Amino acid sequence: MAGVNRTALKLAKLAVFLAVIAPLVALVAVLAVRMGLADLKPALQVVTLRGGLAMAWIGGLAGVLSILLVFWSRPVWPYAATALVVGLASLLIYQVQAIRFYPAPRDVASDLEEPPAFGRQMLSERRAERVPASQPQKCDGLEGIDSQLAPEVVAWGMKQAGLTVMGTSPFRVEGWQQGMWFGIQHDVTVRIRPGRTDIRVAGRDQLAVGPRACDLAKKVVAEINALR
């Protein structure tokens, strides 16, 4: 680059490097979990939400400060702009995710007095992964369906909500949903009785992921209701 100050150029490149570290941390953590090289909890809570967030702040600050280099040597503006955009975008994404991942009920049901029970296969899988027993908690806005529905309708509604249906019977339909990035899994069972259909959603990994279980339960009920 003709007429560029070499020191400014090196600093601008350094700013770009610092800005891309946070996204790379998240990518490496995701790949490590998906490939079975790391456990979900430390990869998400320690590496990503702590280490990655810290690097996102450093990258965002580096991006902002890199703009000053343009006044020192105008030709470095492409590097400065890249550092600014990547740094601030990474920081925003990390902050949004950090806010969403707060402690909330990981096991919710539309009937707390007599919550739906998981079937034999689902229970076997949860026990095999050493998921501790839990009691469903309240989910604001979640209500059962006041009618007996056909299992086919329930199964289709679950599929529409993004679940993988693993089994159906006249009185129960079960499935699961796995997160796209870290593979955080939620197990779902829908109990069908005369005059009443209830749902239960429970996380398989005991992580603070905000209202995901509650949101998923309400989404499934909404999709099923849309088919009635």
Side-chain angles (χ1 to χ4, degrees), residues 4-132:
V4 64
N5 183 290
R6 291 185 178 276
T7 302
L9 180 59
K10 290 180 179 180
L11 291 174
K13 289 181 177 180
L14 175 61
V16 174
F17 173 74
L18 293 174
V20 301
I21 289 179
L24 289 177
V25 167
L27 177 61
V28 170
V30 168
L31 291 177
V33 171
R34 287 296 193 174
M35 296 174 66
L37 301 176
D39 292 333
L40 172 61
K41 188 172 183 177
L44 175 60
Q45 295 185 332
V46 179
V47 177
T48 305
L49 293 181
R50 293 183 185 175
L53 180 58
M55 292 310 305
W57 275 102
I58 293 174
L61 180 60
V64 172
L65 293 178
S66 68
I67 297 300
L68 300 176
L69 298 174
V70 178
F71 296 98
W72 185 8
S73 181
R74 190 172 296 275
V76 305
W77 74 264
Y79 294 99
T82 300
L84 180 66
V85 172
V86 175
L88 292 184
S90 297
L91 179 58
L92 176 61
I93 293 172
Y94 266 92
Q95 282 295 110
V96 170
Q97 294 302 317
I99 292 173
R100 290 179 56 202
F101 280 61
Y102 62 86
R106 299 281 287 127
D107 187 348
V108 300
S110 58
D111 184 355
L112 297 180
E113 294 184 1
E114 191 180 353
F118 287 112
R120 183 178 301 176
Q121 182 180 351
M122 185 72 80
L123 276 178
S124 177
E125 291 186 4
R126 291 174 65 85
R127 287 169 180 164
E129 295 191 22
R130 299 181 180 179
V131 180

